[in-house]
Amino acid sequence: MSLLVIAYPEIKKKDFKWIQEIRNKYDGLYYDIVKPHFTLVFPVFYLNQKQLISEIKEKSKGLKEIDFCLRCAILNKDAFNDYWHTFLVPDEGFSGITKIHDKFYSGKLKDEYFLAIQYVPHIGVGNFLDANECKKLVDELNETNFEICGKIKNFTIISYEEKKVEDIETIELG
């Protein structure tokens, strides 16, 4: 089992539906496992649930809600397997989400941070073994000039095991 910290975005129902329609078609790895989200802390193996909750609560003190707006799809090569991913990335909110990610990886999570991979805030919508198929989806999405704006109002600590996600605790932002 691994523990992660994610943010389920607050977005309009029509935007959630649009994302889910894309994910249903192209996100064979995660569509049935977890709702659209931003990952803030990737799998943690060396802290237990109580330690991670305590650390994230401490690091979350004083953090405010984050407004974001997604307007771009990008291609991303998975560093751990043969998959290519299609990500929706924020214009507005990019730095705020990145700074929270970095803040969470200070302190007790510092040694968990895998520096060989650049962090890109995103909502994943597709995955492919063929890079060209992934690029095709990226191009199609970018041609639509989509705009999905919303807020991150909380963080959720989840467990992930055997292709199942369970929400453990949600931390509200003030």
Side-chain angles (χ1 to χ4, degrees), residues 60-77:
S60 296
K61 287 181 182 174
L63 295 178
K64 304 292 183 209
E65 295 177 355
I66 298 173
D67 293 318
F68 67 87
C69 201
L70 307 165
R71 292 191 191 97
C72 182
I74 65 168
L75 180 79
N76 180 272
K77 174 63 178 98

Side-chain angles (χ1 to χ4, degrees), residues 137-172:
L137 177 58
V138 167
D139 292 343
E140 288 173 8
L141 292 172
N142 285 334
E143 286 175 9
T144 69
N145 291 318
F146 66 89
E147 180 177 80
I148 299 173
C149 298
K151 287 186 178 287
I152 294 174
K153 293 187 169 186
N154 53 54
F155 307 128
T156 302
I157 296 158
I158 64 168
S159 66
Y160 177 69
E161 184 174 31
E162 296 180 16
K163 297 188 179 187
K164 285 189 175 187
V165 164
E166 182 181 337
D167 292 354
I168 296 171
E169 185 155 344
T170 298
I171 301 165
E172 298 296 326

